[in-house]
Amino acid sequence: MALKGKRKSRNRGSQARRRPASAPRPTSVTRKPPWYRTTGGLTVAGLGLLVLLIFGAWLIANTKAHNRDVESKKKALETYTEDVRAAVQSLTQPVTEMTAAAQQMPDDLKKKAQAWQEAITATQTSFGQKVAPGDAVSAQTLFQQAIQSFTFAAIDYGLVP
């Protein structure tokens, strides 16, 4: 049995089928520029670059000043080392002779002991006038005590005869 009203209507005219609807119009979207292209972003980037340049200049200047300080300390230590070597050179002869004092005759020992004492005292006086750099103060103190010990030994050798 046929159902009434289920048929296509004939009064549509020449339009046989409906056309599909057209696509919706695109809406205009305004995009924000990236932060680095905005005035604020360029200002922040410029200030950051300026801070980096200032920090770099400070770092270079600080490094150069530190290197100058190290060089001056190194030069002072080298000068002090040369002074110590000169003092050791002047002590070498009397101390070497003092090690062979056991084979000396008593009369010769008294004369030589006086010469040793004078040479060691002269070295002690000249070395005592030298100023040690900050790191070598304890070494200078020890060296002066050693020279003083040699002076006492020379005095003792003079008293033996």
Side-chain angles (χ1 to χ4, degrees):
M1 166 170 187
L3 296 173
K4 275 189 163 177
K6 289 290 186 173
R7 214 169 29 153
K8 288 184 185 175
S9 89
R10 294 184 182 211
N11 60 0
R12 278 182 152 179
S14 65
Q15 195 179 18
R17 292 181 185 233
R18 283 188 166 228
R19 285 190 241 163
S22 63
R25 289 185 181 174
T27 59
S28 66
V29 176
T30 57
R31 292 188 181 192
K32 286 184 175 180
W35 68 270
Y36 53 86
R37 288 192 179 169
T38 62
T39 306
L42 289 174
T43 304
V44 168
L47 288 175
L49 184 62
L50 183 65
V51 166
L52 283 175
L53 287 174
I54 290 172
F55 179 72
W58 172 80
L59 190 63
I60 289 170
N62 192 23
T63 302
K64 285 184 178 182
H66 177 70
N67 288 343
R68 280 193 298 270
D69 290 344
V70 167
E71 280 296 319
S72 66
K73 286 180 182 179
K74 182 179 175 183
K75 188 168 181 141
L77 190 59
E78 286 175 355
T79 304
Y80 180 72
T81 303
E82 290 173 7
D83 293 341
V84 168
R85 284 185 182 143
V88 168
Q89 286 281 339
S90 64
L91 287 175
T92 302
Q93 188 221 359
V95 171
T96 305
E97 290 177 3
M98 285 170 55
T99 58
Q103 291 116 9
Q104 299 287 327
M105 296 300 283
D107 295 334
D108 292 338
L109 188 61
K110 187 171 186 173
K111 292 177 191 175
K112 288 199 177 205
Q114 183 66 29
W116 297 335
Q117 183 180 356
E118 290 172 4
I120 293 171
T121 304
T123 302
Q124 185 177 17
T125 303
S126 68
F127 187 73
Q129 295 171 353
K130 306 296 180 186
V131 177
D135 298 339
V137 172
S138 61
Q140 183 174 10
T141 304
L142 288 174
F143 196 69
Q144 286 175 338
Q145 289 174 356
I147 293 173
Q148 191 173 13
S149 297
F150 285 129
T151 305
F152 292 148
I155 292 170
D156 290 343
Y157 277 125
L159 297 175
V160 167

